[in-house]
């Protein structure tokens, strides 16, 4: 929780805060990449008092951990997320700046985050900002070659790794040719036993 009492509801009043907090649980994309719970998150905040409440602008910096989507190796990546949120005074409606009477305004009120006794909770804002800043498909490096689709070998460690590609349309004929070739060799060895004997000598 952050305190806004020092601003004193004076429009134009400004306060800067730098603080390191512990990352909450589930700060990331489940099973892909995220900031480990309890790891440090550096916050740089600018609190500005306006007529409707307190406008909070800031940046969060943290280190995220995950798995490369190409080679499946663990990775660590620095993330910086910018955010801005308006926290309204509880009596904003009484001032005439917001009204909840109309149905149209009811939807707008869902986007308003109220201050509670001059305090605001930054965790929901932080969570949204960091998750949006994380890559949906993290890679250990831009030129990661990934894994072999046939055997799973890491192509970064063995860039010359390959398999002889057989066109699936010719696979059946290849098998037939192999079996015919074997049969011909067997017939040849049975028909000309002398040749093999000479070669052995």
């Amino acid at each position: 929780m952050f305190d806004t009492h020092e601003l004193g509801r004076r429009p134009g009043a400004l306060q800067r805060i730098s603080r390191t907090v512990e990352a909450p649980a589930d700060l990331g994309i489940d099973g892909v990449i995220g900031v480990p719970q309890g790891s440090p998150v550096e916050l740089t905040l600018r609190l500005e008092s306006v007529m409707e409440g307190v406008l909070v602008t800031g940046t969060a910096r943290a280190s995220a951990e995950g798995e490369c989507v190409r080679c499946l190796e663990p990775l660590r990546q620095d993330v910086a997320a910018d955010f801005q949120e308006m926290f309204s005074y509880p009596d904003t409606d009484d001032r005439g700046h917001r009204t909840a009477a109309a149905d149209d305004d009811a939807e707008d009120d869902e986007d308003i985050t109220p201050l509670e006794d001059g305090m605001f909770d930054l965790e929901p804002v932080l969570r949204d900002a960091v998750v949006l800043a994380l890559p949906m498909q993290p890679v250990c490096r831009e030129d990661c070659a990934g894994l072999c689709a046939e055997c799973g070998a890491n192509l970064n460690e063995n860039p010359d790794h390959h398999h002889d590609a057989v066109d699936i349309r010719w696979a059946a004929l290849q098998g037939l040719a192999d079996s015919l070739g074997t049969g011909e060799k067997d017939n040849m060895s049975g028909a000309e036993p002398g040749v093999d004997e000479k070669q052995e000598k």
Side-chain angles (χ1 to χ4, degrees), residues 95-112:
R95 295 182 179 188
H97 296 293
R98 305 249 196 270
T99 56
D103 293 338
D104 294 341
D105 291 336
E107 293 181 4
D108 294 337
D109 290 341
E110 293 178 2
D111 298 330
I112 300 171

Side-chain angles (χ1 to χ4, degrees), residues 108-177:
D108 294 337
D109 290 341
E110 293 178 2
D111 298 330
I112 300 171
T113 307
L115 289 167
E116 297 180 5
D117 296 327
M119 309 284 285
F120 65 88
D121 183 9
L122 199 61
E123 183 176 326
V125 179
L126 179 65
R127 187 182 305 280
D128 290 344
V130 171
V131 169
L132 288 174
L134 291 171
M136 293 297 293
Q137 295 186 326
V139 291
C140 57
R141 62 175 197 257
E142 290 300 323
D143 62 343
C144 176
L147 302 176
C148 173
E150 293 190 36
C151 67
N154 192 327
L155 300 179
N156 296 311
E157 298 173 359
N158 187 4
D160 296 328
H161 174 83
H162 70 281
H163 296 271
D164 293 332
V166 177
D167 191 324
I168 192 170
R169 295 169 295 182
W170 297 99
L173 291 177
Q174 182 65 41
L176 180 61

Side-chain angles (χ1 to χ4, degrees), residues 86-101:
M86 170 68 79
F87 293 90
S88 64
Y89 294 124
D91 57 351
T92 301
D93 291 342
D94 297 334
R95 295 182 179 188
H97 296 293
R98 305 249 196 270
T99 56

Side-chain angles (χ1 to χ4, degrees), residues 33-116:
I33 189 170
V35 180
Q37 183 177 0
S39 64
V41 179
E42 297 177 8
L43 298 175
T44 304
L45 305 177
R46 180 179 183 268
L47 280 59
E48 183 179 1
S49 178
V50 294
M51 289 296 293
E52 295 84 2
V54 177
L55 179 65
V56 178
T57 306
T59 302
R61 290 182 172 83
S63 182
E65 297 178 1
E67 189 177 80
C68 177
V69 296
R70 295 181 188 168
C71 68
L72 306 182
E73 290 294 323
L75 61 82
R76 179 182 292 266
Q77 183 174 340
D78 293 333
V79 59
D82 297 324
F83 54 87
Q84 187 173 67
E85 183 77 6
M86 170 68 79
F87 293 90
S88 64
Y89 294 124
D91 57 351
T92 301
D93 291 342
D94 297 334
R95 295 182 179 188
H97 296 293
R98 305 249 196 270
T99 56
D103 293 338
D104 294 341
D105 291 336
E107 293 181 4
D108 294 337
D109 290 341
E110 293 178 2
D111 298 330
I112 300 171
T113 307
L115 289 167
E116 297 180 5

